[in-house]
Every structure is written in C-alpha cells, then in structure tokens.
Amino acid sequence: MSKARATIDQLFQQEFTKMVAVISRQFGLEHIETAEDIVGDTFLAAAENWAEKGMPENPAAWLYVVAKHKTLTYFRRGETWQQKVLPAVKAGMETAEPETDLDFSAQNIQDSQLRMIFAICNPAIASESQIGLALRILCGFGIDEIAEAFLTNKETINKRLFRAKEKLRTENIRMELPPENMLDARLDNVLHIIYLLFNEGYYSRTQDVILQKDFCLEAMRLGLLLTAFPATAQPRTFALLALMCFHASRFEARQPGTETIVLYEEQDETLWDRELIAQGMNFLGLSATGNVLSTYHLEARIAFLHCEKKDTPEKWEEILALYNELLILHYSPAAALNRTFALYKAHGAGIALAEAEKLQLTENHFYWLLLGELTRHTDPAKAASCYRRAYELAKTGAEKEGILRALQSTGAS
C-alpha cells in the first residue's frame, strides 16, 4: 500500500465523522446522506490529486478546503439555498452576502459531534438502528465492516441505516442538545448506546480482532467527547469510561489471536495494559461524586477488582455484593450468571450449583459452561454433557475452541 493510500485510509477514519457532523449541523440532518456523499467525493478527489501531485503539507486542512467548496457548490445549486438558507440570512442579516462558510475549527467540530451523538441516540430511533448509525456516522465505519460485526449482509445494514435516517427526517430531529429538563434522560440513552457499542467490540462474534478493538476504541472516544462538556461530564459518564478502560486493559491477554479466547484465570497478567488501568482508576475517582449510583459505577468497580489477579475470598465477597446490588438496579441474564460465578468463588461449587440451576438459561452457552465448571470435580460425566451443550450453542470458533479444552479436562472425548 502506498503512503498516500495509507494516509487517506487513516484520515478517513479520523475526519469522515467530523466533516459529516459539521455539514449536517450547517444544513440540517435531512441532508445527512448528501453530507456523506460530499465527504466521500472529497476523499476520492484526495486519492486522485495526491497520487498525481503528492500529499499536501497539511492533508486534513486540504480535505476541509475541498469539502467546503463541494458543499457550498452543491447547496447553492439546490433548492435548499433558495428556500432555506437565503430567506434565513435575509431575515437575520443586513449584509447582502450570506455567511455560509463552513467552520472546521476544533471547537466547532467537537460541538457538532456532540450534537450529532444526541441526534443519533434519539429514542425515536430503534436501538439496533442507533448502533448501526453510530458506527457509520459517529465512528466512520464502512458498510462492510458493520455487516461483519453484526454477522449479517450489507443489504440488511443498508436497510437499517435507511430506516434510521428516515426517522431523523420524519421526526424532525435537530442537531441540538436537549433542554435542561430532558438532558439527564437523553444522556442515559447516549451512554447506553456507547455501552452497547463497546460490548459489540469486546464480546464480538466476528473473527476480525482488529475490528473488535476499533469498536472498543471508538466507544471510548465518544465517551471522552462527552467529558469535554460540563452538561454531559456527569459521574455516570466517568463511570462508563472507567468500565471501558478496565475491560480494554485486558484485551491483549484475553484475545491474543483469532483462534481462541483466554479465560480470566488463564490470562497472562503481564499483558494487561497498566496505563489503561491507571486511567480507569482516575475516571472511577471522578465518578465518585453526587448521590446517584448507576449500573456503570457497579460494573466499573467489578471490572476494577478483576484488574487484580490475586484470588482471595475477600475479593470475591466484594464482587458478589456488587452483583447483588447490580441485579437490584437492573436485572440481566448475563449479570445473574456472573453473580453465580462470584458466589462459586466466594462460597464453593455446591451453593453456586443450586443457584445456577434455578436460572434455567438453557439457550445460553455461558449457562452450560458455568454448569460444567461447577460439576467438573464432582460429576465429570455431567460436566462433559454440559460442555457439549455449550459447544452446540456457541457462535464463534474462538468460543468453541475454549469449550473443547474444558471438555478435554473432564477426560471425555
């Protein structure tokens, strides 16, 4: 790959979302597809120009100039200029020349992206479509990459994105922060989508490890963006960032390749990213204000305790207590399974097995994995049967490989 091509690919990941946000803010979300097309054309022009003339001294600035020109040329030709821009300008300005220059300053880019986050995470749009739109518009991922992440085809993703963009239009959703009395509820939805986006990477079913990490990093970037504005730099925002840092710190140890996932107990602690753990501790400290305890606070504390490999009853007692609180705040099958594992580590397999069997999550391969773990020392035959069922339900090769190793530990073939 040529240097120019590599630079363009990198810049696309960095600048696509910024440019679409600024153009959409200027001319309205009803023109979001036009904004995408204009930015796409800008990068095509860059590929052609830079291949012939070499890269400019400041590639990002070159892109902004070309994008400005293409945007203004398009809208001056279209009805938007005559029906929307000019009347608004004439009504509010005395000068004859309308002020339509696109502002690609760092502050306006940041502000536009924040507004775009709240627009895309509007409750009027289905959650699944919000994630797809976030991946495309907020993170700059291509349709192929999004389809790979969701283990589906491009046509399905395009339909989801089309429906989401239609909602932006039909619901007249604007690129603006919600009023103060609605901000808390809307921020909860934004944080939830960022949380789901991170999970889509961390617990991904795709075999593309680079793509998984990129999803996690983009979720963390969006979380950091929220901290740059006082209204959204809330304790639960910092708690979510802490949670993501703690999980991301173990990425290399958890999945060093595409073939397998290394379980927590077997991970090489030297591969954990200590800088990310320290950053997570900083965010966790910043989250410890106010009087609201969110699920992100509890999950972040649990994740922090997992960043200490030392296995003590006290550690697992605290994790168990945190899961008890978490389930009261928000029940989920995953949290219930994890709570049962913590019960096993704190009080032994016998007590945990009785609790696990009450869950009856028979279509969840993690449920059968847990039953296998709880019975492998006392009833190897039952454990082998549980591992086989887990293998049948597992979705990825990496998961199946790990289950096979567990099955072999029972002595079964």
Side-chain angles (χ1 to χ4, degrees):
M1 182 185 294
S2 68
K3 183 180 179 182
R5 180 72 257 176
T7 301
I8 288 174
D9 289 346
Q10 183 181 17
L11 283 169
F12 187 89
Q13 189 74 35
Q14 295 170 349
E15 304 297 337
F16 172 85
T17 62
K18 299 176 183 178
M19 296 160 75
V20 170
V22 169
I23 295 169
S24 298
R25 181 182 180 185
Q26 180 90 347
F27 292 99
L29 279 170
E30 63 268 31
H31 298 291
I32 192 169
E33 289 179 326
T34 298
E36 289 181 82
D37 290 341
I38 288 171
V39 176
D41 286 345
T42 298
F43 277 92
L44 284 175
E48 294 171 0
N49 185 282
W50 298 357
E52 180 181 342
K53 301 179 181 178
M55 282 192 300
E57 186 174 329
N58 189 333
W62 189 97
L63 290 169
Y64 294 159
V65 169
V66 173
K68 285 181 184 182
H69 174 74
K70 287 181 177 292
T71 302
L72 297 179
T73 298
Y74 174 85
F75 283 105
R76 280 173 175 158
R77 281 203 312 260
E79 294 180 358
T80 298
W81 180 264
Q82 296 297 328
Q83 297 179 3
K84 179 180 176 181
V85 179
L86 281 180
V89 169
K90 289 176 180 177
M93 299 177 63
E94 296 181 0
T95 56
E97 281 297 312
E99 189 67 42
T100 57
D101 189 34
L102 289 171
D103 178 7
F104 282 110
S105 67
Q107 182 58 50
N108 191 57
I109 286 172
Q110 194 175 58
D111 190 55
S112 298
Q113 286 187 302
L114 180 72
R115 290 164 182 259
M116 183 67 86
I117 290 175
F118 276 88
I120 286 175
C121 297
N122 191 295
I125 303 172
S127 179
E128 189 176 61
S129 296
Q130 286 181 41
I131 298 172
L133 204 54
L135 287 170
R136 178 62 183 157
I137 304 301
L138 296 176
C139 306
F141 288 107
I143 304 302
D144 288 333
E145 293 170 309
I146 300 172
E148 166 72 13
F150 285 102
L151 298 184
T152 187
N153 55 54
K154 291 167 60 176
E155 182 181 0
T156 298
I157 297 301
N158 276 319
K159 286 179 179 178
R160 287 182 194 171
L161 294 177
F162 176 78
R163 287 194 294 268
K165 291 172 184 176
E166 276 296 293
K167 276 291 183 182
L168 291 175
R169 283 188 283 267
T170 59
E171 298 291 330
N172 197 31
I173 295 171
R174 297 290 149 207
M175 279 183 63
E176 57 192 18
L177 292 179
E180 189 174 341
N181 65 328
M182 295 175 61
L183 184 63
D184 268 2
R186 288 288 300 280
L187 178 59
D188 281 340
N189 197 60
V190 169
L191 294 175
H192 180 62
I193 293 303
I194 293 174
Y195 176 80
L196 293 178
L197 176 55
F198 184 87
N199 284 352
E200 196 61 48
Y202 197 73
Y203 301 105
S204 177
R205 292 172 293 168
T206 177
Q207 301 297 324
D208 188 338
V209 178
I210 294 175
L211 184 59
Q212 294 171 32
K213 292 177 182 176
D214 283 348
F215 276 24
C216 292
L217 290 173
E218 282 299 310
M220 294 167 76
R221 181 184 66 82
L222 294 177
L224 280 171
L225 182 61
L226 293 175
T227 68
F229 296 84
T232 54
Q234 298 290 331
R236 60 192 185 279
T237 305
F238 289 113
L240 176 56
L241 272 167
L243 170 62
M244 293 190 290
C245 284
F246 292 141
H247 279 321
S249 72
R250 300 199 310 274
F251 206 114
E252 296 297 334
R254 179 177 176 269
Q255 194 162 5
T258 59
E259 298 304 316
T260 189
I261 293 175
V262 180
L263 298 178
Y264 173 73
E265 292 84 356
E266 301 169 2
Q267 288 175 13
D268 180 355
E269 190 177 350
T270 64
L271 294 178
W272 293 356
D273 190 325
R274 292 294 164 185
E275 288 186 15
L276 267 179
I277 293 172
Q279 188 62 63
M281 292 172 66
N282 178 52
F283 287 132
L284 194 58
L286 291 170
S287 75
T289 58
N291 54 9
V292 176
L293 181 69
S294 71
T295 58
Y296 305 123
H297 285 88
L298 295 170
E299 289 192 51
R301 179 66 185 172
I302 292 168
F304 167 70
L305 289 169
H306 279 82
C307 290
E308 174 54 63
K309 196 71 178 288
K310 188 177 180 181
D311 212 5
T312 64
E314 293 77 18
K315 168 184 168 178
W316 288 104
E317 284 285 5
E318 183 175 354
I319 291 174
L320 176 60
L322 289 164
Y323 272 120
N324 289 337
E325 287 189 75
L326 182 61
L327 288 169
I328 292 170
L329 273 183
H330 177 71
Y331 179 88
S332 74
L337 278 172
N338 289 334
R339 182 256 177 196
T340 308
F341 183 80
L343 180 65
Y344 156 55
K345 298 293 285 186
H347 297 290
I351 294 175
L353 181 60
E355 289 293 307
E357 289 177 334
K358 293 176 185 176
L359 297 176
Q360 287 297 301
L361 299 170
T362 55
E363 297 304 310
N364 186 320
H365 83 275
F366 291 113
Y367 171 73
W368 293 105
L369 263 177
L370 178 60
L371 289 183
E373 173 66 21
L374 295 177
T375 57
R376 66 190 180 96
H377 294 300
T378 56
D379 191 344
K382 181 177 180 179
S385 175
C386 292
Y387 287 137
R388 290 191 186 99
R389 181 59 180 147
Y391 185 88
E392 292 171 2
L393 293 170
K395 297 294 194 298
T396 70
E399 288 172 336
K400 288 179 180 291
E401 178 65 28
I403 294 168
L404 280 179
R405 293 201 313 273
L407 178 60
Q408 289 165 2
S409 72
T410 67
S413 58

